[in-house]
Amino acid sequence: MQRTLLCRVGRSLEPGLGGAPTQRGELRAAGCAPAGRRGGVEAGRRTLARLRSMQTLLVRLVVLLGLTSRLLETSALTGAPWGRASRVFLSPSQVKDRRLGLKVKDSNFTLGGFPSLILAGTIHYFRVPKEYWRDRLLKLRACGFNTVTTHVPWNLHEPRRGQFQFTGNLDLAVFISMALEVDLWVILCPGPYIGSDLDLGGLPSWLLRDPKMKLRTTYKGFTKAVNHYFDELIPRIVSLQVQEDGPIIAVQLENEYGSYHMDEKYMPYVKQALVTRGVKTLLMTADTGQDLTGGRVKNDYGALLTEDGDYTPEYVTFQELLRSVTVPSHNLNPNEVHRPPQPESRPRVVYKPVTATYYMSLWDALPYLDEPTRSAKPVSMEKLSVNQGSGQSSGYILYETAISSGGLLTSRGHVQDRGQVFLDNLYIGVLDHASTELTIPRRSDYEGSQMLRILVENQGRLACGPDINKERKGLTGDIYLNKSPLRKFKIYSLEMKPKFIQRDLPNIWKPALFQPRGPAFFLGLLRVGDHPRDTFIKMQDWTKGVVFINGQNLGRYWNIGPQETLYLPGPWLQPGANEIVVFEEWKSALVIQFTDSPQLGY
């Protein structure tokens, strides 16, 4: 059964995990109601007036409106006033016979045959350290929700074509089972596209190796890859559906396809791909009626928890609101609503500053890295023959070619996204979306050819929109010197994945007796006691680069701001020595500082 739901399942950002940008929060909120007649307008006005008067209301009103409007719609559809909504607030422990599943009867949801209110908050398991999954789920439950929505990122589960990862922080089955343990239903969003502010919306970049690729359509090259992925993913979750006594009450088809709408046959294909593999719970989409005909989906942002899982004023506001919705004014029947105790906030710590005592120039490291690709013309990241033919997905890529004269270097928009240009080891300037030309000097003290180097950073692919098929990175076309295309390149893949940091970097570190300029790697040791705790790294006086802790990518920093700190989860540290590696593009500061509070520029 496929129904369109008026459900704004929110989005989640947890730093460092999945290559996502570090932003605040990882718990979002939404109420869900079946699409149908609207109602509750006057009640909505009264509720909004009440919310505006609350002293703790610090959240943007658009977020609260997204929740309250859905609750009002549900109230109107069930015929129940706000004060009586608890009669239909059901958690898994309260439904004896789950085999009936989530149904739509007239304009109501039913669970186990009883009218039910679904209050859902979003947690992305892949953006939260596995050790903190239970903490986040309990906080969602304590806030007053009975359902967790989570999205499944294809690009993380199949980073290379045909190689799948479902362990550790990507153990989806464990996360879903844990949700049931804390008495939460699950709405699962398996994609294949999930949006969620992920690189390419969660689609793997190796799909773009096909020059004719048409993402999110029934193009044969795309559906073949989806079928292979679903063959691995769906069997892992079918036994966790509510009909099998699991917590999954609904599965979302794709994500906001109405705003993309490139192929009318695509959504029926996705539905069939799920059903034929054993999905039998309620199917839903995340579009409103207007969106299904190509309208624009409104994105709303907000967070109930900080990036390290601490409570915000918004959390308290939603908690009070949900209590007013789910708890009647008369004496509460103990069988109606039960919430677990609210978990305490986790302590943070400020570690002593760490000095990067060793460094390694990128130019010194090149001879020790994997053999570069040699090509007559520039080759984009995705089309490199690395990673068993899956190409490069993220990080940096270095292009080298010999030139015999100076002159005007022109990119014609083929640098994606930011390229630092060097003549031998001498920095010349930057080519990016705003700057497409540079003057290359002719060194009078040098005879013969010179090495032109372009270090290109992939700053992330679009997560949505009609141009995602074009999101190839690196040099995506010819680069011209004096209007002549350059040829004969050596291309180095600098993906900055854990393997690169832990095994590929050579052991040729030099003492950092002064402040060497980048591009270079810097090494320091953080010593931690027996019980590592959360903290925040502050790269004060550094310029631009990437930070790694024990091989894990924490994220990027840039002194232009606004973000000034990177969240370092305690589980990523170990008692004793912890290796911090910084890749600095320009000017280093050598000292790495720590703080117990995030500084995100707002």
Side-chain angles (χ1 to χ4, degrees), residues 10-12 26-28 121-128 133 135-140 148-151 175 184 305:
R11 45 193 73 187
S12 144
E26 112 282 327
L27 174 58
R28 290 286 318 285
T122 295
I123 298 177
H124 288 166
Y125 61 94
F126 53 91
R127 280 172 165 149
V128 181
W133 283 355
D135 173 80
R136 305 303 196 262
L137 290 167
L138 286 171
K139 287 174 178 175
L140 184 144
V148 59
T149 298
T150 197
H151 297 70
F175 179 80
L184 287 168
L305 300 178

Side-chain angles (χ1 to χ4, degrees), residues 502-514:
Q502 294 175 321
R503 288 182 286 178
D504 291 351
L505 280 182
N507 187 18
I508 56 171
W509 299 99
K510 300 177 182 179
L513 303 178
F514 55 97

